[in-house]
Amino acid sequence: MLRRALLAMALGVALPGGAFARCEDYVPQAKPQNTFAQDVGREFDRIIEDGWIEFAVYENYAPWSYEEKGKAVGVDVEIGRLVAKALGVEAKFRLVAAGENLEADLLNYVWKGAAVGGRVSDVMLHVPYDSALVCRIEQVSFTGKYAKENIAIAYRASDYEEKAPTPPFFRFDAVAVENDAISDFYLTSLIGPVDKIHRYRSTAAAMDGLAEGDTKAAMGPRAELEAGLLRHPDAGLKVHSPPLVGFARGSWTIGVGVNFQHKDLAYAIDEAIEKALADGEIARVFEAHGLTFTPPER
């Protein structure tokens, strides 16, 4: 669900037209000095005074963030609540649509606001951390690293009794992937445009296809695969994370994005997340959702 251009850069997979080097062809971006105050978020003191903080989270992105019975739920939502509690304010959540790329999302929800009727939130959760992003997107403070995610493979155990599948298996065995996502690009570049790669609108739909017997495996971000296991407990599915040949980086760090003008807010959020990691609170959030937790390198 994290847009293909971002993940291709962050994970080191080349897209058509070449691969990114760190800040290759980088041109400093315009600073929003002349943007009206309401368009660049609230200062930390104002958040404390108002008694609430708003987090932008992606919609329809289970198990991370989604709507259930009219309320935002998911791992990212629980982490937002931990941060708000540490700051002594109420947590509010804004479910937002993913744009064409991360730069567009951060512009729309963190540092400027959409051109028509747009406004920013105080914080955006589930922002991938990468040194190239820090260099290229100056208007955002990338901080609050709270977990690592990785590409994994889900499979039907009865189809692979002797050995769990790895990408070369999919020259012959059907595998489900999210269309135009990083797993789709990776498998296509590794084994070619074979008919065994079945493309779905989302990783969740790919897991549904696996559970229904349309494929023997599914490939995608581990948390989304594990969420599929929980939705289909009787399908005999497992998930594993094998070595991925030719994958520059099969894992990445997840953190938050804050408007670059509000450094004090960014520091406070990072401190709250650091404490929640040390106390085991974030690990318990993952455990409660039935997900594997991998702590980030901070």
Side-chain angles (χ1 to χ4, degrees), residues 120-191:
V120 301
S121 295
D122 300 309
V123 188
M124 187 167 189
L125 291 165
H126 212 94
V127 175
Y129 182 90
D130 182 86
S131 61
L133 295 176
V134 173
C135 178
R136 297 174 67 87
I137 307 177
E138 295 179 302
Q139 304 93 335
V140 176
S141 293
F142 294 86
T143 187
K145 293 179 280 187
Y146 56 85
K148 290 188 73 172
E149 177 63 300
N150 68 277
I151 295 295
I153 295 174
Y155 60 97
R156 185 173 294 100
S158 61
D159 289 332
Y160 299 98
E161 294 181 352
E162 296 184 2
K163 182 180 180 181
T166 58
F169 281 61
F170 307 137
R171 295 181 184 274
F172 311 101
D173 297 345
V175 59
V177 298
E178 179 179 344
N179 185 48
D180 278 355
I182 192 65
S183 297
D184 185 3
F185 282 112
Y186 171 70
L187 288 178
T188 301
S189 66
L190 182 70
I191 64 178

Side-chain angles (χ1 to χ4, degrees), residues 25-211:
D25 300 323
Y26 170 70
V27 176
Q29 301 177 52
K31 299 293 194 303
Q33 291 97 333
N34 299 321
T35 307
F36 290 114
Q38 66 266 28
D39 292 332
V40 294
R42 297 176 299 153
E43 295 182 350
F44 185 33
D45 289 345
R46 176 67 183 276
I47 289 171
I48 300 301
E49 180 183 339
D50 290 347
W52 58 272
I53 184 170
E54 183 182 81
F55 298 91
V57 294
Y58 287 113
E59 64 183 6
N60 303 321
Y61 194 22
W64 298 104
S65 51
Y66 56 102
E67 186 174 331
E68 187 176 86
K69 298 180 180 178
K71 294 184 178 180
V73 296
V75 171
D76 287 337
V77 172
E78 293 302 318
I79 291 172
R81 290 199 176 103
L82 289 176
V83 170
K85 181 180 178 182
L87 300 182
V89 297
E90 176 190 357
K92 296 186 178 183
F93 297 94
R94 177 186 178 194
L95 290 161
V96 300
E100 178 62 25
N101 54 48
L102 180 67
E103 286 88 340
D105 293 345
L106 293 172
L107 182 151
N108 288 334
Y109 309 129
V110 175
W111 69 267
K112 185 177 181 181
V116 179
R119 64 177 180 84
V120 301
S121 295
D122 300 309
V123 188
M124 187 167 189
L125 291 165
H126 212 94
V127 175
Y129 182 90
D130 182 86
S131 61
L133 295 176
V134 173
C135 178
R136 297 174 67 87
I137 307 177
E138 295 179 302
Q139 304 93 335
V140 176
S141 293
F142 294 86
T143 187
K145 293 179 280 187
Y146 56 85
K148 290 188 73 172
E149 177 63 300
N150 68 277
I151 295 295
I153 295 174
Y155 60 97
R156 185 173 294 100
S158 61
D159 289 332
Y160 299 98
E161 294 181 352
E162 296 184 2
K163 182 180 180 181
T166 58
F169 281 61
F170 307 137
R171 295 181 184 274
F172 311 101
D173 297 345
V175 59
V177 298
E178 179 179 344
N179 185 48
D180 278 355
I182 192 65
S183 297
D184 185 3
F185 282 112
Y186 171 70
L187 288 178
T188 301
S189 66
L190 182 70
I191 64 178
V194 298
D195 61 0
K196 297 302 181 181
I197 302 174
H198 293 202
R199 296 173 175 86
Y200 294 77
R201 58 180 172 78
S202 66
T203 301
M207 284 298 290
D208 292 341
L210 169 60

Side-chain angles (χ1 to χ4, degrees), residues 7-22:
L7 281 184
M9 178 183 71
L11 304 186
V13 175
L15 286 174
F20 285 105
R22 188 181 192 274

Side-chain angles (χ1 to χ4, degrees), residues 263-287:
K263 294 292 186 182
D264 50 353
L265 174 60
Y267 294 143
I269 291 171
D270 190 64
E271 183 178 349
I273 287 175
E274 183 177 36
K275 184 177 184 300
L277 286 167
D279 292 346
E281 291 181 292
I282 290 180
R284 286 190 286 274
V285 169
F286 279 77
E287 182 181 2

